[in-house]
Amino acid sequence: MLNKKSISDLSRADLDGKVVFVRVDFNVPVDANGVITDDARITAAVPTINYLRENGARVVLASHYGRPKGQVVESMRLNVVADRLRELIGGRVEKVDDCVGNSVRSAVNSLKPGDVLVLENVRFYKEEEQNDPGFARQLSNGMDLFVLDAFGTAHRAHASTAGIAQFLPAYAGFLIEKELNFLDKAIQTPQRPLVAIIGGAKISSKIDVLKHMLAKVDVMVIGGGMAFTFLKAQGYEIGKSICENDKIEEAKAIMAEAKATGKTIILPVDSVVVEKFDNDAPSQIVSSHEIPVDKEGVDVGPKTVEIIKDVLKTAGTVMWNGPLGVFELPNFAKGTFAIAEALAASNAITIIGGGDSAAAIKQANLSDKMTHISTGGGASLEFLEGKTLPGIAALENK
Ligand code: AMP
């Protein structure tokens, strides 16, 4: 589907000896000691890196890491990432302490075909997020080709994701191709029924996804905090549960649209409620239609989980984005984990939209049971809203 040139269009003749600047997303989580806790984003970029190496390219990798806000922050250097990459791919992986300038030029000059150079965090320069053309040009200095493989940052128009494409021939990497193909197929030509499970705190951050997806899906399950705005729109008492009163009309419109087009929307029928937002607060399971006025909903209840499981039994494709409860607190994570397990047990094609849902699946050790887990929460959401991702738009058309 990808109407953009990709590295599969490049052969050894195009790559041998060339210096290829690859924008990857190595923004991996680390623990308090700076040890990487999940290297999925690094392993996801390996197919592209190895393809370029095997075809004789000299590979230069650029990434952001954390939020240094345009300054050098020692704890946000990419050394730990370069070390992990070296373990993963073997071969020569060098690291340089800048991403532009003389030190980069001399490091690039010493690369041999098949070698890899990891540049320093591109967000140490404020010009990166400003998509400054002068900075993009500096990044492109000494490079022959640009490959975008940072799906997690493809929705940002930054110098190293989009701006640089003005100065170099620009191609999609394998990860970008894979992500777009899974997401696109799941919404354009899915194995049906197509079920979307959308959760998370606020309806406002996902309203465009809800609207765009409603036209594509057969069943839409709405859980998490955002469900309460829909329940209130139906006239139910939601107590102190999170609610966006200014979105009630939109929630009504979405439900009316579903009715008019024969789509099923499933909302929670029971909720775990507490008086105080605290993991150890005494909790109760009540009807989602009559939440006591002094209580708030923090998770879906067991009846709701059974209804969702039933839907999943016959689903052809399931797309999941957003937790069904406050899953960071173990006592309110049961609904979210029950859905993760139901997805793992399902025969459907399962596409997980990154972010919190991917984290829940990983915590439950179920990652290898899913068809595809996106490496980009924000990027996959913007794609599901029907938006064009700026990083992808900047690539050359086929
Ligand atoms: P989002 O970033 O919109 O995907 O929302 C994720 C957040 O939604 C997580 O931090 C959850 O704790 C939160 N969340 C899920 N269910 C609820 C709820 N019932 N009340 C408040 N927050 C919730």
Side-chain angles (χ1 to χ4, degrees), residues 199-202 205-206 224-225 228 242 297-298 322-328 356:
K202 289 181 166 178
S205 60
K206 291 187 189 159
F228 296 106
I242 184 172
V298 286
L324 298 192
V326 183
F327 85 115
E328 297 91 338
D356 288 332

Side-chain angles (χ1 to χ4, degrees), residues 88-377:
L88 285 170
I89 64 173
R92 186 164 167 233
V93 178
E94 296 294 320
K95 157 84 189 6
V96 61
D97 291 339
D98 208 336
C99 62
V100 289
N102 289 339
S103 57
V104 173
R105 191 168 317 131
S106 61
V108 168
N109 285 341
S110 71
L111 291 177
K112 306 222 159 30
D115 286 349
V116 175
L117 175 68
V118 178
L119 301 181
E120 192 52 275
N121 193 341
V122 283
R123 289 196 192 162
F124 283 179
Y125 288 86
K126 64 179 185 332
E127 293 84 353
E128 161 65 3
E129 289 180 79
Q130 292 166 345
N131 195 9
D132 180 86
F135 182 65
R137 185 194 284 278
Q138 272 185 289
L139 288 171
S140 74
N141 271 348
M143 311 291 159
D144 297 309
L145 297 167
F146 168 61
V147 171
L148 178 72
D149 215 25
F151 182 70
T153 337
H155 60 312
R156 304 278 180 233
H158 292 169
S160 69
T161 59
I164 190 171
Q166 286 174 26
F167 304 105
L168 296 171
Y171 295 81
F174 291 130
L175 177 61
I176 293 280
E177 259 192 322
K178 180 173 148 195
E179 291 269 12
L180 293 181
N181 285 341
F182 268 117
L183 291 172
D184 191 65
K185 184 163 193 303
I187 53 172
Q188 302 304 348
T189 52
Q191 196 168 305
R192 290 192 182 271
L194 170 60
V195 180
I197 305 177
I198 312 283
K202 289 181 166 178
I203 176 175
S204 51
S205 60
K206 291 187 189 159
I207 195 104
D208 291 334
V209 177
L210 291 169
K211 286 184 192 158
H212 191 74
M213 290 292 285
L214 187 62
K216 313 278 179 187
V217 302
D218 301 294
V219 180
M220 181 171 281
V221 177
I222 301 174
M226 70 169 71
F228 296 106
T229 303
F230 283 88
L231 290 164
K232 188 163 179 188
Q234 289 182 323
Y236 297 125
E237 175 59 57
I238 60 162
K240 291 192 301 176
S241 306
I242 184 172
C243 178
E244 289 169 277
N245 287 316
D246 59 337
K247 293 289 175 234
I248 286 184
E249 288 313 312
E250 278 188 271
K252 282 185 185 165
I254 288 172
M255 290 188 286
E257 174 71 14
K259 199 165 176 201
T261 52
K263 308 292 171 80
T264 307
I265 289 188
I266 295 179
L267 288 164
V269 295
D270 57 349
S271 297
V272 176
V273 298
V274 290
E275 213 175 293
K276 224 173 83 202
F277 197 82
D278 178 343
N279 188 47
D280 299 319
S283 66
Q284 260 178 286
I285 295 162
V286 300
S287 159
S288 305
H289 299 169
E290 291 172 84
I291 295 182
V293 286
D294 58 340
K295 302 253 160 74
E296 66 178 301
V298 286
D299 196 6
V300 289
K303 284 188 193 147
T304 307
V305 167
E306 286 311 311
I307 292 171
I308 301 173
K309 277 185 172 172
D310 245 23
V311 170
L312 294 186
K313 275 184 197 147
T314 52
T317 307
V318 188
M319 303 187 82
W320 181 25
N321 196 304
L324 298 192
V326 183
F327 85 115
E328 297 91 338
L329 302 181
N331 286 341
F332 313 143
K334 292 192 186 82
T336 299
F337 284 114
I339 297 313
E341 272 164 33
L343 282 176
S346 147
N347 293 323
I349 293 165
T350 47
I351 312 278
I352 314 302
D356 288 332
S357 325
I361 298 234
K362 184 175 158 26
Q363 266 182 49
N365 265 329
L366 296 171
S367 301
D368 57 349
K369 301 270 194 312
M370 304 298 151
T371 311
H372 179 66
I373 301 181
S374 176
T375 54

